[in-house]
Amino acid sequence: MELVDRADAISSMQATNDNERKTSFERDSLAKRREELELEIERLASPGGSNDPRLKGLADTLGGVLLSEIYDDITIDDAPYFSAMYGPARHAIVVSNLDGIKEKLVELDDCPEDLYIIEGDIDAFDDSSFDADELDGAVCVQLNERQLRYSRFPKIPLFGRAAREQRLELLREQREETVEKHAKAAFDAQKLQRLYQAFNAFVAEHMQLAFEATLKWN
């Protein structure tokens, strides 16, 4: 880079500083995106794909299993429907008998604000009790004579190991790409920072020389 005069040096120094700020912002944004991807990968890779790690332990305490684990073998095409059909209860724990469950719940030290418990045969679960109608990209469930629930198909179904594994593969590819972009942005930001510091030192040195020369002439 050829610098004709002080104005050129200051202009180049300002441009370098602007590029360094932009690159640093990109670096930080990529780092945040990488963390988000890692959290989502961790959630989907957990048993049943639950976003609350306490649920698996609670299921063991109550002698049941996560509802999502029962539906682990459904196809990718069916996963959004069943995830929507259960709505908030998709995070439920299935137990063979509700007797004595209330007493166990009272003794729990740590659990989500809402915990759904469903009685059913863990080995032959029956969901025929749901009065559900499939709509366009959603499910409408008649809860009773005066209540119904409308749930859209989730973009990332909780149910279905195949659906989660497909999503995990995509997320891992995105993470790898993000890590590479972050490494490049971090390197570029550091290089620009050093260049700016060199410009700064160059301008300061020549301003000092110019100042000293002016004193001599005076």
Side-chain angles (χ1 to χ4, degrees), residues 71-82 157 159-163:
Y71 283 89
D72 237 14
D73 293 328
I74 61 175
T75 65
I76 292 176
D77 294 334
D78 289 337
Y81 170 82
F82 284 104
F159 289 174
R161 181 174 58 252

Side-chain angles (χ1 to χ4, degrees), residues 118-130:
I118 299 176
E119 181 179 279
D121 187 340
I122 295 174
D123 297 320
F125 191 73
D126 181 14
D127 54 32
S128 61
S129 60
F130 276 83

Side-chain angles (χ1 to χ4, degrees), residues 34-54:
R34 181 191 61 199
E35 292 175 1
E36 292 172 349
L37 287 168
E38 288 175 347
L39 286 173
E40 190 171 354
I41 288 171
E42 182 181 355
R43 178 181 71 82
L44 288 176
S46 65
S50 171
N51 58 359
D52 191 330
R54 295 173 295 179

Side-chain angles (χ1 to χ4, degrees), residues 171-196:
L171 289 173
R172 284 167 179 151
E173 289 176 358
Q174 291 179 358
R175 179 180 62 182
E176 183 176 348
E177 182 181 351
T178 301
V179 167
E180 292 177 359
K181 288 182 177 179
H182 175 266
K184 183 180 183 304
F187 175 78
D188 290 344
Q190 187 178 48
K191 183 170 64 175
L192 287 166
Q193 187 178 40
R194 289 176 178 172
L195 181 59
Y196 174 77

Side-chain angles (χ1 to χ4, degrees), residues 60 62 66 121 123 136-137 144 151 154 161 175-177 211:
D60 294 337
L62 298 176
L66 295 178
D121 187 340
D123 297 320
D136 184 17
N144 54 50
S151 299
R161 181 174 58 252
R175 179 180 62 182
E176 183 176 348
E177 182 181 351
F211 177 73

